[in-house]
């Protein structure tokens, strides 16, 4: 084992200083004659010489070679140090030149050594005479089974029997300052981290220096016996300091763990506070949006006076047409927004003429309106081709086909009106939406907000002139069915499934209604279902955000359909079945009810309002192999009919991206972008 003996002796020197510093308090100094320190190193050299097999780092030759057992050698050794200490002693050491003291401790020790040397000489003479004499006092370092001769050096490096000592060595001393508790702990920690092979040797040397050289207990502390027979000061031993460091490391690890846990707790608390702040910010944005939607709904609500005026207009117009056509049992029924309860003061009045209309034509109806001084009477023809189904349709389920309509303006109310001839299916569609609207009070405001943002993003039509020039991906009726199905699938649901509701009570029988061979039956008792959505506490703003998120990111436009009849977003049968398409009834286009959104909204038969503004003569069952993706919103009455069959390809992408854009803007609280985008 290669050991730096210079470093070891330096640490031993610092430990000796520490032992002597323990004689005085922190504010005092201990003066040690340099000759006494030289004697200390002479003792160490002699101890190593006679106990070499039992020690780890023999350094007697190093001490002798560097003359550390002499005053002159120590002066040179100490003066080379910047502070007078080697490395770990925490205070500065001063060398002092004093007046010789003939009663110094070194003088007394020299006297003791002279006596020991005289005794040694006597023993040598006795051995030469064959006489057994007792061992000298220095034999205390030798194990019982081993005998060895002493070779003690004094501080001048001469054999002790040559006593030419003088008191001139007492002129030099070192001043060792006392140590505070902090200094002591610092020193002991510095010592503990010195090389482990130093510890047991130093512990042994300090033990026997205390006992046989210094005649003092030094810095005190327990004494332990090593396995090899020598003793040592416990606090300087390797085992003691290893345990000490281990305990400290364990404590530091525990403290580090606690600090890490505390930091983690602080981080978690910070994250929680941030989450609370985000939730509060989100709640504030939602509240602002919610208030805006309710104010918008209130501001667009039609007044009681206007409602009475519209009712009066319908009565007068019905009477005038009955008179014109010789009282042939004619009746006017509102459809669209006025029939569903979603109308505003900017909505058009959509009507259908029912009753005995066999002899009524669009030309004669227009002539009647002109005769009664209605303005801007125009006959509009649908721009949609009749569907060509590839599969025969049952005679009992033939849907109505889009018809021409008449647009005119009432000069008394300045209200734009649209009239179609004999479209009872539109009446029942409107009644179905009206019933859902009455069941849930939040339906109307959310639907109004959806129509407004859809008109501004050209998803549904906002004027007749707009319809004439560009097709719309959706219609108001399709948008209503999307919202109805969404609210039916909420958890908990806000709307019932009126066409799936079993009526077992005798007081609530389901009246079967067949219109043009189509089953239009549904539960019309909206009061019975009132309060169904009380378990769902979402605000209108949250419902609007969730609706846009669903149709922007969740809904599978390629494989699923919106089906309000069963209240589900289900896999399309033509996609899920192994045999391919099961039918092409969805290619048929029925007369659809109006959901007007502005002063010039489209009439009920307008394809722009309900079927995307383009003819649909192909099947709605479009797969990836046969054509572009088609958006499927199924009619609740005409089984298998897709009312958005013309919404395909880029228009589907337009719908999806529109709802994504609105969802992001709502999450950021940008109401102006949502409701004011041109």
């Amino acid at each position: 084992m290669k050991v730096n003996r210079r470093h070891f002796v330096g640490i031993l020197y610092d430990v000796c200083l520490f032992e002597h510093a323990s004689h005085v308090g922190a504010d005092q100094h201990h003066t040690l004659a340099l000759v006494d320190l030289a004697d200390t190193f002479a003792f160490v050299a002699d101890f190593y010489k006679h106990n070499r097999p039992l020690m780890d780092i023999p350094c007697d030759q190093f001490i002798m070679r560097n003359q550390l057992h002499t005053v002159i050698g120590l002066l040179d050794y100490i003066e080379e140090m910047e502070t007078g200490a080697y490395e770990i002693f925490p205070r500065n050491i001063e060398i002092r030149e004093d007046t010789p003291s003939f009663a110094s401790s070194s003088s007394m020790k020299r006297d003791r050594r002279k006596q020991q040397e005289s005794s040694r000489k006597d023993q040598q003479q006795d051995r030469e005479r064959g006489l057994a004499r007792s061992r000298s006092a220095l034999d205390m370092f030798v194990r019982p089974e081993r005998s060895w001769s002493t070779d003690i050096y004094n501080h001048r490096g001469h054999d002790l029997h040559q006593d030419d000592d003088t008191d001139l060595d007492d002129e030099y001393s070192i001043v060792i300052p006392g140590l505070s508790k902090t200094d002591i702990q610092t020193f002991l920690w510095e010592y503990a981290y010195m090389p482990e092979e130093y510890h047991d040797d130093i512990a042994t040397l300090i033990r026997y220096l205390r006992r046989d050289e210094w005649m003092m207990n030094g810095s005190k502390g327990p004494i332990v016996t090593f396995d090899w027979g020598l003793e040592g000061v416990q606090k300087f031993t390797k085992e003691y300091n290893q345990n000490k460091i281990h305990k400290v490391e364990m404590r530091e690890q525990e403290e580090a763990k606690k600090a890490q846990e505390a930091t983690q707790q602080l981080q978690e608390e910070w994250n929680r506070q941030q989450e609370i702040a985000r939730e509060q910010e989100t709640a504030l944005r939602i509240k602002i949006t919610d208030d805006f939607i309710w104010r918008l709904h209130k501001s667009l609500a039609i007044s009681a006076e206007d409602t009475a005026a519209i009712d009066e207009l319908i009565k007068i117009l019905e009477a005038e047409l009955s008179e014109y056509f010789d009282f042939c049992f004619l009746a006017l029924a509102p459809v669209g927004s006025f029939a569903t309860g979603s109308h505003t003061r900017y909505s058009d009045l959509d009507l259908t003429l029912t009753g005995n209309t066999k002899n009524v034509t669009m030309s004669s109806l227009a002539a009647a309106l002109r005769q009664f001084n209605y303005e801007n009477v125009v006959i509009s023809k649908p721009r949609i081709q009749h569907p060509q189904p590839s599969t025969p349709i049952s005679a009992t389920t033939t849907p109505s086909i889009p018809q021409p309509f008449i647009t005119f303006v009432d000069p008394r109310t300045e209200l734009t009106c649209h009239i179609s001839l004999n479209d009872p299916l539109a009446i029942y569609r409107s009644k179905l939406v009206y019933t859902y609207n009455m069941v849930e009070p939040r339906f109307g405001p959310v639907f109004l907000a959806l129509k407004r943002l859809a008109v501004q993003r050209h998803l549904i039509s906002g004027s007749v002139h707009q319809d004439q020039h560009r097709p719309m991906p959706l219609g108001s009726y399709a948008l209503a069915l999307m919202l109805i199905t969404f609210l039916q699938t909420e958890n908990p649901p806000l709307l019932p499934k009126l066409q799936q509701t079993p009526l077992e009570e005798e007081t609530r029988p389901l009246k079967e209604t067949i219109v043009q061979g189509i089953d239009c039956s549904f539960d019309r008792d909206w009061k019975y279902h009132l309060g169904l959505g009380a378990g769902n506490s979402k605000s209108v703003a949250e419902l609007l955000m969730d609706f846009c998120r669903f149709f922007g990111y969740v809904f599978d436009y390629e494989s699923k359909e919106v089906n309000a009849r069963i209240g589900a977003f289900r896999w399309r049968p033509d996609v899920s079945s192994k045999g391919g398409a099961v039918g092409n009834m969805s290619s048929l286009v029925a007369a659809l009810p109006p959901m007007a959104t502005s002063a010039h909204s489209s009439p009920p038969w307008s394809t722009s309002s309900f079927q995307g503004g383009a003819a649909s003569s192909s099947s709605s069952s479009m797969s990836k192999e046969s054509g572009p993706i088609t958006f499927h919103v199924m009619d609740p009455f005409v089984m298998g009919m897709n009312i958005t069959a013309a919404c395909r390809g880029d228009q589907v992408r337009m719908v999806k991206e529109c709802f994504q854009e609105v969802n992001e803007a709502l999450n950021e609280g940008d109401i102006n972008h949502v409701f004011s985008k041109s």
Side-chain angles (χ1 to χ4, degrees):
M1 178 178 63
K2 187 175 181 180
V3 179
N4 187 340
R5 285 174 170 75
R6 177 176 294 277
H7 188 254
F8 171 80
V9 171
I11 299 303
L12 175 62
Y13 167 71
D14 281 354
V15 173
C16 291
L17 296 179
F18 176 76
E19 289 290 302
H20 286 289
S22 63
H23 283 222
V24 295
D27 56 347
Q28 297 175 327
H29 294 77
H30 174 72
T31 302
L32 175 65
L34 210 55
V35 65
D36 290 344
L37 185 59
D39 288 345
T40 295
F41 279 104
F43 181 90
V44 171
D46 187 69
F47 190 90
Y48 269 121
K49 184 175 181 180
H50 297 96
N51 294 276
R52 188 179 302 273
L54 305 178
M55 305 296 283
D56 292 329
I57 309 175
C59 58
D60 49 323
Q61 294 179 7
F62 178 86
I63 292 173
M64 303 304 297
R65 186 169 56 250
N66 291 278
Q67 295 292 302
L68 298 183
H69 63 301
T70 67
V71 172
I72 295 175
L74 282 175
L75 281 173
D76 294 338
Y77 182 71
I78 297 173
E79 286 176 351
E80 289 177 358
M81 304 176 192
E82 184 177 352
T83 64
Y86 184 77
E87 181 176 337
I88 63 175
F89 190 77
R91 304 289 294 275
N92 293 345
I93 304 301
E94 297 180 4
I95 298 178
R96 179 182 299 173
E97 186 174 359
D98 298 324
T99 302
S101 173
F102 297 98
S104 65
S105 61
S106 61
S107 298
M108 291 186 288
K109 289 180 182 178
R110 283 195 296 275
D111 291 341
R112 178 166 57 84
R113 281 198 294 270
K114 289 178 182 178
Q115 294 174 3
Q116 292 173 348
E117 179 62 18
S118 177
S119 175
R120 186 184 68 82
K121 290 180 180 179
D122 292 341
Q123 291 177 8
Q124 182 66 25
Q125 292 174 0
D126 290 342
R127 282 195 296 271
E128 292 175 355
R129 298 189 189 99
L131 299 176
R133 302 291 299 272
S134 60
R135 289 189 301 174
S136 69
L138 289 177
D139 287 343
M140 64 187 73
F141 302 116
V142 184
R143 300 176 67 90
E145 64 275 9
R146 176 184 175 189
S147 62
W148 46 272
S149 59
T150 60
D151 188 8
I152 304 298
Y153 298 92
N154 63 13
H155 58 276
R156 290 189 180 88
H158 303 294
D159 291 343
L160 289 179
H161 66 274
Q162 298 176 354
D163 185 17
D164 54 356
D165 190 19
T166 70
D167 290 328
L168 294 178
D169 296 333
D170 292 336
E171 294 180 3
Y172 295 98
S173 61
I174 56 174
V175 180
I176 306 173
L179 302 179
S180 66
K181 292 182 178 180
T182 301
D183 292 335
I184 294 172
Q185 293 302 319
T186 300
F187 174 85
L188 292 175
W189 277 116
E190 292 286 343
Y191 173 82
Y193 283 97
M194 290 298 103
E196 294 179 354
E197 56 267 23
Y198 294 2
H199 292 178
D200 287 346
D201 273 20
I202 291 177
T204 301
L205 292 171
I206 297 302
R207 160 59 179 157
Y208 292 107
L209 280 169
R210 285 183 183 180
R211 192 186 76 176
D212 300 317
E213 175 66 18
W214 296 335
M215 306 300 179
M216 67 169 186
N217 198 20
S219 62
K220 302 179 177 60
I223 304 299
V224 296
T225 301
F226 295 115
D227 294 340
W228 48 92
L230 296 180
E231 294 180 346
V233 180
Q234 184 183 45
K235 63 185 171 186
F236 294 126
T237 62
K238 179 171 67 175
E239 181 179 2
Y240 176 86
N241 285 286
Q242 284 179 336
N243 292 337
K244 179 180 179 180
I245 292 174
H246 178 69
K247 289 179 181 178
V248 171
E249 290 176 347
M250 293 298 294
R251 185 165 64 247
E252 289 177 348
Q253 291 177 3
E254 186 67 24
E255 290 175 354
K257 182 179 179 181
K258 290 180 180 179
Q260 183 178 4
E261 291 176 351
T263 302
Q264 184 176 356
Q265 290 178 355
L266 289 175
Q267 182 66 37
E268 291 175 353
E269 178 63 21
W270 187 85
N271 292 340
R272 191 179 68 84
Q273 294 296 334
Q274 291 298 309
E275 184 64 26
I276 292 174
R278 286 192 294 268
E279 290 176 355
Q280 291 175 344
E281 184 179 353
T282 301
L284 179 61
R285 289 198 299 266
I286 291 175
K287 185 178 185 305
I288 293 174
T289 305
D290 194 67
D291 292 341
F292 177 85
I293 295 174
W294 281 108
R295 289 198 307 270
L296 177 66
H297 182 261
K298 184 177 180 180
S299 66
L300 296 178
I302 192 167
S303 64
E305 293 77 7
D306 291 339
T307 301
I310 292 172
D311 291 340
E312 184 65 21
L313 168 62
I314 295 174
K315 290 180 181 179
I316 292 174
L317 182 57
E318 184 179 287
E320 290 172 341
L321 294 178
S322 296
E323 178 184 350
Y324 185 86
F325 290 104
D326 297 326
F327 302 100
C328 57
F329 304 104
L330 297 177
L332 281 175
V335 293
S337 60
F338 276 90
T340 62
S342 59
H343 59 285
T344 69
R345 50 195 179 94
Y346 300 110
S347 299
D348 293 352
L349 176 60
D350 300 306
L351 303 168
T352 184
L353 185 65
T354 62
N356 187 9
T357 60
K358 182 177 181 180
N359 297 321
V360 180
T361 64
M362 297 303 293
S363 299
S364 61
L365 182 58
L369 292 171
R370 294 188 183 99
Q371 178 174 323
F372 291 110
N373 300 319
Y374 291 98
E375 301 174 351
N376 302 329
V377 179
V378 177
I379 299 176
S380 300
K381 295 183 180 180
R383 299 178 294 106
I384 182 169
Q385 300 176 359
H386 289 180
Q388 301 294 329
S390 58
T391 303
I393 307 299
S394 171
T396 60
T397 59
T398 302
S400 56
I401 302 301
Q403 307 172 31
F405 59 92
I406 296 178
T407 299
F408 64 94
V409 176
D410 175 37
R412 290 161 293 188
T413 61
E414 298 182 351
L415 186 65
T416 299
C417 306
H418 310 283
I419 293 183
S420 64
L421 284 179
N422 198 23
D423 190 5
L425 193 59
I427 297 175
Y428 284 94
R429 288 189 176 114
S430 299
K431 287 182 178 181
L432 178 66
V433 177
Y434 170 80
T435 306
Y436 281 120
N437 190 8
M438 296 302 293
V439 169
E440 176 52 58
R442 288 167 284 187
F443 178 90
V446 175
F447 184 50
L448 176 64
L450 282 173
K451 287 200 298 182
R452 178 156 180 151
L453 65 88
V455 168
Q456 291 167 341
R457 287 163 177 78
H458 310 295
L459 295 187
I460 63 176
S461 62
S463 68
V464 174
H465 299 290
Q466 189 180 42
D467 298 341
Q468 301 294 333
H469 296 89
R470 63 177 298 175
M472 297 291 117
L474 301 178
S476 294
Y477 181 48
L479 196 61
L481 294 178
M482 290 164 64
L483 179 58
I484 289 170
T485 310
F486 175 77
L487 297 180
Q488 287 172 327
T489 56
E490 272 286 283
N491 186 22
L494 283 83
L495 290 179
K497 302 172 184 178
L498 296 178
Q499 293 171 277
Q500 304 293 319
T501 303
L503 300 179
E504 300 177 355
E505 302 90 341
E506 295 181 359
T507 57
R508 300 182 62 248
L510 179 61
K511 181 180 179 181
E512 185 179 21
T513 304
I514 305 298
V515 178
Q516 295 180 343
I518 298 173
D519 184 6
C520 294
S521 306
F522 64 92
D523 185 5
R524 303 185 195 179
D525 188 4
W526 59 267
K527 292 182 179 180
Y528 178 82
H529 301 283
L530 193 63
L532 173 67
N536 192 316
S537 60
K538 289 184 180 180
S539 64
V540 294
E542 291 174 304
L543 292 173
L544 178 64
M545 293 170 65
D546 290 349
F547 179 93
C548 294
R549 182 187 63 83
F550 178 81
F551 283 101
Y553 296 101
V554 179
F555 182 74
D556 185 355
Y557 289 84
E558 184 176 3
S559 304
K560 288 189 175 183
E561 67 182 21
V562 179
N563 196 318
R565 180 183 184 89
I566 63 173
F569 301 103
R570 71 171 183 177
W571 294 97
R572 298 202 309 275
D574 58 302
V575 174
S576 59
S577 63
K578 296 182 180 180
V582 297
N584 292 313
M585 289 191 65
S586 57
S587 64
L588 298 179
V589 182
L592 303 174
M595 295 289 185
T597 58
S598 69
H600 301 286
S601 58
S602 303
W605 44 89
S606 169
T607 58
S608 65
S609 182
F610 304 104
Q611 294 180 358
S616 177
S617 59
S618 61
S619 171
S620 64
S621 302
M622 288 290 180
S623 64
K624 289 190 296 184
E625 292 78 7
S626 60
I629 297 174
T630 302
F631 186 25
H632 286 72
V633 179
M634 311 310 294
D635 187 86
F637 294 132
V638 183
M639 299 293 292
M641 187 183 76
N642 178 17
I643 66 172
T644 55
C647 182
R648 304 172 58 197
D650 288 342
Q651 287 191 326
V652 175
R653 177 183 55 79
M654 177 181 174
V655 171
K656 185 174 182 178
E657 291 179 352
C658 166
F659 288 123
Q660 289 176 351
E661 173 196 341
V662 172
N663 179 71
E664 296 299 326
L666 288 172
N667 284 330
E668 296 174 2
D670 192 353
I671 301 176
N672 292 331
H673 181 74
V674 174
F675 296 105
S676 301
K677 181 177 179 180
S678 60

